[in-house]
Amino acid sequence: MKLTMRVNGASYTREIEPRLLLVHFLRDELRLTGTHWGCDTSNCGACVVWLDETPVKSCTVLAAMADGHRVRTVEGLGRDGQLDPVQQGFVQCHGLQCGFCTPGMMLTARWLLDRNPDPSAEEIREALSGQICRCTGYENIVRSVRWASEHDGEKQSAADREAAGAGDDDHMPDVPA
């Protein structure tokens, strides 16, 4: 089947098998390896990406379901060579160890901060509750998100980020594979 989607602001058209998972499309077809493939059962959250501004576990979403939609991966967090405050927070507060869960954590944290710019530690933990980190006790991850919330005003607004991810128009032209 033919599929067209917008990923991190760029349009892609590919021929795929209908059973291909979104995580494999992103990693194998587009070579966006920041999206990690972990448990294959939606338990770990390492594969979280945004599908039309909503975090989803890409190991349980068929690529075909993203046809005509926008996808954002961890590679799409930074802008104009600058780290997103969430990325910077993970650096500043040592929010990662092995880094396997980090892309999913960052995308979920960005989603949370776009909806709640000043979350409590409990709200952060709740938002991240569907994701597993086997290396940390989550304290530095929570600190990283808090740091990002305190420095987020220095970056563009959520509306600007959404517009950047959506492109200049709603029409997605066919792009050769």
Side-chain angles (χ1 to χ4, degrees):
M1 76 171 282
K2 190 173 186 177
L3 152 95
T4 300
M5 71 175 74
R6 200 162 189 77
V7 181
N8 299 329
S11 186
Y12 296 92
T13 298
R14 297 286 193 279
E15 280 290 328
I16 64 161
E17 288 194 33
R19 65 182 182 185
L20 182 68
L21 292 173
L22 182 57
V23 66
H24 297 302
F25 178 79
L26 295 169
R27 290 181 60 79
D28 301 338
E29 291 290 325
L30 302 185
R31 301 289 183 224
L32 296 171
T33 57
T35 302
H36 293 161
W37 176 38
C39 66
D40 245 355
T41 61
S42 79
N43 288 317
C44 75
C47 67
V48 167
V49 299
W50 284 13
L51 183 58
D52 291 336
E53 309 305 320
T54 301
V56 298
K57 293 179 179 178
S58 61
C59 75
T60 61
V61 174
L62 294 172
M65 295 168 70
D67 186 31
H69 294 275
R70 294 183 319 272
V71 175
R72 187 175 190 189
T73 70
V74 70
E75 290 91 347
L77 272 181
R79 186 172 155 138
D80 298 327
Q82 298 293 315
L83 294 177
D84 183 272
V86 170
Q87 293 170 307
Q88 190 63 37
F90 272 71
V91 171
Q92 293 293 323
C93 301
H94 310 284
L96 60 102
Q97 285 184 17
C98 82
F100 195 77
C101 70
T102 305
M105 293 277 188
M106 287 181 175
L107 284 160
T108 301
R110 175 77 270 148
W111 176 86
L112 170 66
L113 295 178
D114 285 351
R115 279 137 194 84
N116 180 357
D118 189 27
S120 67
E122 185 173 308
E123 290 168 320
I124 295 168
R125 287 179 184 280
E126 175 67 25
L128 298 175
S129 67
Q131 296 173 267
I132 296 172
C133 177
R134 294 187 172 150
C135 298
T136 72
Y138 297 90
E139 288 303 317
N140 287 348
I141 294 170
V142 172
R143 280 190 200 103
S144 299
V145 178
R146 286 292 314 142
W147 187 96
S149 75
E150 293 165 5
H151 294 84
D152 209 19
E154 299 168 14
K155 297 292 181 183
Q156 63 188 181
S157 71
D160 291 340
R161 275 191 291 279
E162 183 176 330
D168 295 333
D169 60 9
D170 291 331
H171 175 70
M172 292 178 28
D174 287 341
V175 177

